[in-house]
Amino acid sequence: IVPTRLGDIIDNAVADMGHQEAGRTIHVEGALALQVMADTEKIERALLNLLSNAFKYSPPGSQIRLAVDTDASE
């Protein structure tokens, strides 16, 4: 577990997916500069699984949206 920028983990996962696969695109937005303490391999693997499912179950030509949000009240 190391401190890392969440956007870096997301960038790696999106790059691994080949974001133009089958005519689909991935749109990433939000608090990408957020620093997190994480096991980067496990987080990236979870993101890859989620993105893979999004590609698998969305029609060709669709846009996959990945948004990062924070809850400042906690």
Side-chain angles (χ1 to χ4, degrees), residues 6-49:
L6 189 56
D8 292 340
I9 298 170
I10 292 170
D11 289 345
N12 288 339
V14 169
D16 287 348
M17 283 301 299
H19 63 281
Q20 296 295 329
E21 182 180 321
R24 295 168 184 87
T25 58
I26 300 174
H27 178 71
V28 180
E29 62 186 42
L32 301 178
L34 184 68
Q35 289 284 333
V36 295
M37 292 292 293
D39 181 329
T40 56
E41 277 187 37
K42 288 182 181 175
I43 297 296
E44 188 173 333
R45 194 170 339 149
L47 277 172
L48 284 170
N49 285 334

